[in-house]
Structures are given as C-alpha cells and as structure tokens.
Amino acid sequence: MPEHKLCVPCLFGLEGPLGNELRHMGLRSVMPENGRVRCTGTDADIARMNLRCRFGERVLLELGSFPAPTFDALFEGVKALPWAQYLPADAAFPVKGYSLESALHSVPDCQKIIKKAVVESLKQRYHVTWFAETGALYQIQFSLVHDTATLYLDTTGTPLHKRGYRANSNAAPLRETLAAAHVAAPLRETLAAALVDIAGYRGRGDLCDPFCGSGTIAIEAALAAKGRAPGLSRDFAAMQWAWLPAEVWPQAREEARAREFHGEYHIFASDIDPRAVAMARDNARRAGVDDCITFAVADAREFDRTTDRGVIVTNPPYGERLMEKREAEALYTAFGAAYAKTEHWRLYLLSSHTEFERAFGRPADKKRKLYNGTLRCDLFQYTKDV
C-alpha cells in the first residue's frame, strides 16, 4: 500500500500522549508539533486512526506544502497539487483554514483563491466548466504559517472527540443546565481520555470521579480499560471516498473489536446533582460501558472512599463566569479537607482556577498545562502520601 503524509491536530498539551498512541498503532515517522502530530501511514492506517485515536481531533491527509507569500503563489501552488487523484467530478469540496504570521492574513480571501485553484485543476481533468458538488464531502483544509501553505483533506468529518455517546438534542436544555452548574466549557472527550492516560489508569485498581457531571471521565476510563475503540459506533467522511478501498473500514472495525479486553473494573462516578448522575448513567449505557461503572449521588465534600490502590481523576467547577469564584474556592477547600483524610488515593484534578492550590490547602506535587478547547487549565497532580 502507498504511504500517505498524515496530520492529527489535537488540543495543546496532548501532543505527547497522541504521539505515543500513534506509535503504538504502528504509524511511521511520528513527529509531535505544537497542537498536532504528523506521521505517515497507509490507506488501512487512515481507517485505523479514525476508529482508535483517543486523543486526536481529526485525521488529515496532507496533499502538499509550498511557499505562498503572494496570492499568485498560493493559486499556482494549489493548482499544481494532484486534486483529480482524490476528488471525483461530483465531489463537494468546501475550503476552510487559518493564517498565522503570514502576508496573506485574510482567511476569506485565501479560501476564495484556493477554491478557484482547485476548480481550475479539476477542469483540466474532467473537461467541464462547472462543478455541481452533489457527491461525497471532501473537506479541504489549509494552514498558512510563516508564508508556507499546507493543504489537507479531512478524512474524519465530525471531530473525533464527538464519540456519539453524549445525550442527543432532545436533552439539550438539561445538558446546558448541567454545563452551567459545573464548568464554563464542557470537558472534551479527547481531553478526558488524556487525563485518564496521564493518571496511569489501565484498568487495574480503582478510579473515581467525584464531580462526574455527564460522566465523560468515567466513560473514557472504561473505554480505555476495555481497549474499546472510541470511534467504533460512528462513521467518517472518508468512508464515502471512491479512491479509498472500501474494505479498510470493516477490516479496521474487526481488528479493533479483536483488541478488546473483558475484565472486572472498579470505576466510580458520583455527583451531588441527581440529574447529572442520571445523564452520566445514560451516556455510559449509550457507550456500552454502563456495566463497568458504579454511579452514585454523593457530595464530593464528604469523600471518604477507602481503597488499597486508587486514583481520582476529576474536573470540578472552575468558578469561571458560570459559577462564583468564592463558591468554587469553598468547594475546593472542603474537598481538600476530605482528600487529606484519605489514604492510598492519587489525585489528578483539572481546573482553570488560578487560586486552586491555595483554596485546596496544599500545593500540587506536579502541574501540567492543558487546554480544554481554548480554555487554559492546569492538571494538578497529587501523588505523594497525604
């Protein structure tokens, strides 16, 4: 199979876990960069990455990169790429992207130039003057960084962090209420999976999230423990692409299912809000891991669970916009007092609150900068005996 240049964007701070994940999948030339990881892989790897990637946002197929200090250079560079090798005559090919520290700083203008160049390239192959774009979606993405343009096709479609197990639109009012009660930005599934990975949870010992909200951390922990591919129950844009062999998708799904584990797991998720717990339980059922998680309505300020070996991975309210900072700090103080009384629990807590350690009552043994979307957070790690 021919090798493709591939790029997997990710949340800032997740480049390391994502790079390790891609190496374990057998990808070649894995190179983590800021906010993305580059690698090379085959047609089969495109399917495998989309199905199994826990930490990346999408899988991009790189078509080419070239200097583009002017619109003429951008047009000619795009036109020279082998578009007809990938796009059929009826392809839908919208364009989106970004520009950073480049002379061509207007994204709308760049979109127009790129679209025009792709059309001119396809005209030469298909000998038509107009494209209806009624077929499969071939989303074109571009980046312009320091006057260098790179063009991609998005093989994923809906971002990889949207696993498909979260509540549907009928539950939107409740979901918005819960989001307002907990954090300013809902925790992305990819970040939740990374928190579990960084905490070292591999299905052994106990894992607990005492601020579970809609259950994302516990569900991602269960998926990881079982070795279940997070994209197993969803589709991807490249499944409709004519040039990509159709058999790579069922083969990748069969391979992913064969990698699953079956064991007894001790994952606990609780929240003070019964509605949150109900939603978390429903999301876990939708993800097929409700048998792995014990749910309960409980106050994290009274946390007193005992275990011989365990890790707390959690994302409590930040006190940002949607919750008063003083209330958040009081919650941190009470939870810190409860945690101080426990034994054998390591703690990995994500928060964007700048005064968390003071309110918690103890400086973290280690901190790691992460981003939940554009929101900067710290992962506070408490790994020593209290």
Side-chain angles (χ1 to χ4, degrees), residues 269-315:
S270 59
D271 199 282
I272 198 171
D273 189 336
R275 299 172 303 165
V277 175
M279 177 178 283
R281 185 180 285 112
D282 190 51
N283 287 342
R285 178 192 56 77
R286 196 175 288 107
V289 295
D290 51 320
D291 60 327
C292 303
I293 306 170
T294 300
F295 292 98
V297 177
D299 190 339
R301 295 171 295 186
E302 299 172 2
F303 183 88
D304 60 358
R305 186 177 296 276
T306 59
T307 183
D308 291 332
R309 178 183 179 188
V311 58
I312 299 168
V313 183
T314 195
N315 176 222

Side-chain angles (χ1 to χ4, degrees), residues 9-314:
C10 64
L11 294 173
F12 286 106
L14 303 192
E15 299 89 350
L18 175 57
N20 290 334
E21 178 180 51
L22 295 177
R23 291 186 191 97
H24 290 154
M25 280 190 214
L27 277 299
R28 278 73 62 195
S29 304
V30 176
M31 295 181 293
E33 301 175 357
N34 284 337
R36 63 188 179 185
V37 177
R38 294 182 180 278
C39 61
T40 60
T42 63
D43 293 347
D45 288 322
I46 291 175
R48 186 178 295 118
M49 293 163 69
N50 273 297
L51 282 164
R52 291 169 49 188
C53 195
R54 298 187 189 280
F55 314 129
E57 293 298 318
R58 57 183 69 249
V59 180
L60 302 178
L61 172 65
E62 182 178 328
L63 298 190
S65 186
F66 51 87
T70 66
F71 284 123
D72 284 342
L74 178 63
F75 178 88
E76 295 300 333
V78 172
K79 184 181 176 183
L81 296 177
W83 295 103
Q85 181 179 328
Y86 299 99
L87 275 60
D90 66 345
F93 50 101
V95 179
K96 64 182 179 181
Y98 62 90
S99 175
L100 293 174
E101 300 182 10
S102 296
L104 306 181
H105 54 81
S106 172
V107 170
D109 287 339
C110 290
Q111 288 175 297
K112 293 175 184 177
I113 292 294
I114 291 170
K115 182 78 172 186
K116 182 179 179 181
V118 176
V119 168
E120 290 302 314
S121 176
L122 294 178
K123 279 182 180 180
Q124 295 177 357
R125 170 65 180 271
Y126 296 117
H127 308 291
V128 296
T129 59
W130 183 75
F131 294 91
E133 299 192 45
T134 56
L137 174 65
Y138 292 75
Q139 176 68 61
I140 297 172
Q141 291 207 15
F142 72 89
S143 68
L144 258 173
V145 181
H146 299 299
D147 292 329
T148 296
T150 307
L151 276 295
Y152 307 93
L153 288 177
D154 177 12
T155 74
T156 301
T158 302
L160 292 176
H161 73 262
K162 295 189 177 181
R163 318 288 207 212
Y165 61 71
R166 283 210 169 151
N168 60 31
S169 58
N170 293 332
L174 174 56
R175 186 168 64 248
E176 291 169 4
T177 299
L178 294 179
H182 284 272
V183 294
L187 186 67
R188 280 200 193 181
E189 294 89 331
T190 43
L191 179 54
L195 298 182
V196 171
D197 182 74
I198 293 168
Y201 179 72
R202 303 291 185 269
R204 297 180 179 178
D206 292 4
L207 181 140
C208 183
D209 180 3
F211 299 95
C212 75
S214 59
T216 307
I217 290 174
I219 293 170
E220 291 297 326
L223 289 172
K226 291 174 71 69
R228 178 167 295 169
L232 205 55
S233 62
R234 54 159 291 182
D235 292 334
F236 305 93
M239 292 175 67
Q240 306 300 318
W241 293 2
W243 67 266
L244 194 62
E247 63 268 19
V248 299
W249 300 99
Q251 288 172 357
R253 291 184 193 278
E254 183 178 345
E255 177 187 278
R257 291 189 181 97
R259 296 176 59 85
E260 287 195 18
F261 304 100
H262 302 282
E264 183 178 346
Y265 307 107
H266 303 280
I267 301 172
F268 304 92
S270 59
D271 199 282
I272 198 171
D273 189 336
R275 299 172 303 165
V277 175
M279 177 178 283
R281 185 180 285 112
D282 190 51
N283 287 342
R285 178 192 56 77
R286 196 175 288 107
V289 295
D290 51 320
D291 60 327
C292 303
I293 306 170
T294 300
F295 292 98
V297 177
D299 190 339
R301 295 171 295 186
E302 299 172 2
F303 183 88
D304 60 358
R305 186 177 296 276
T306 59
T307 183
D308 291 332
R309 178 183 179 188
V311 58
I312 299 168
V313 183
T314 195

